[in-house]
Amino acid sequence: PNITKLSVVKTQVPAGNPGGGGMPVSYQVVVTNVGTAMIDDLVVVDTVSGVIVGQASTEPAAFSPPVVTHVAGVGTRYVWSNGSLNMVPGDSYTFGVSGVIGLVCVPETVGNVVVAVGSGGCSATSARYGLAPFTVQPPIKLSVVKTQAPANPGAGEDVLYRIVVRN
């Protein structure tokens, strides 16, 4: 019997925590037909955190540019679809989103999950892949230095404290 089955793998470059604001980050999604049946209809949904700004997407030639929507509190959702695909077993398609980590005022956790749904003949399949989240820290790095004059005051002597805060 023909089996409809997908595999989806998502990678992030650079891997792990790419750093703070202004650092580039890109995601690559590879969807593969790992079943024995042809997949005629494929939908790939990738929602990227709103912390990633200046986003741009790429898709294989068999797909039109994605439908892009904003999801409040979550980020930007990319939906690629092709209802007349003819994806034979072993075929893979690669999708991508890239951008830059934006500035944050408080630590922000960035997670990322992609879902692919395919169908062929009378059966459907789906696959999902989530990356380990990373945290973007605000760029604030304060140093505080306190000095006193005189260094060893005598009893009843005036003391001057100086506190310097640097960002």
Side-chain angles (χ1 to χ4, degrees), residues 10-156:
K10 184 170 194 173
T11 55
Q12 173 187 301
V13 176
N17 191 334
M23 299 302 294
V25 65
S26 62
Y27 300 103
Q28 184 179 60
V29 174
V30 178
V31 180
T32 304
N33 181 349
V34 294
T36 57
M38 182 169 10
I39 292 180
D40 302 317
D41 184 11
L42 180 65
V43 177
V44 178
V45 180
D46 191 10
T47 304
V48 178
S49 169
V51 172
I52 311 302
V53 297
Q55 297 177 12
S57 64
T58 59
E59 59 279 325
F63 287 79
S64 297
V67 173
V68 180
T69 55
H70 175 73
V71 180
V74 177
T76 305
R77 178 167 292 149
Y78 294 84
V79 179
W80 293 274
S81 62
N82 185 330
S84 57
L85 192 56
N86 300 324
M87 183 181 191
V88 298
D91 275 359
S92 293
Y93 291 105
T94 302
F95 305 84
V97 176
S98 61
V100 174
I101 298 173
L103 296 176
V104 296
C105 296
V106 296
E108 274 298 318
T109 299
V110 175
N112 204 308
V113 174
V114 63
V115 176
V117 178
S119 63
C122 297
S123 62
T125 183
S126 66
R128 145 186 201 113
Y129 192 91
L131 289 172
F134 64 88
T135 302
V136 177
Q137 297 293 335
I140 299 171
K141 295 182 180 179
L142 298 177
S143 69
V144 180
V145 177
K146 176 184 166 187
T147 58
Q148 95 180 27
N152 297 309

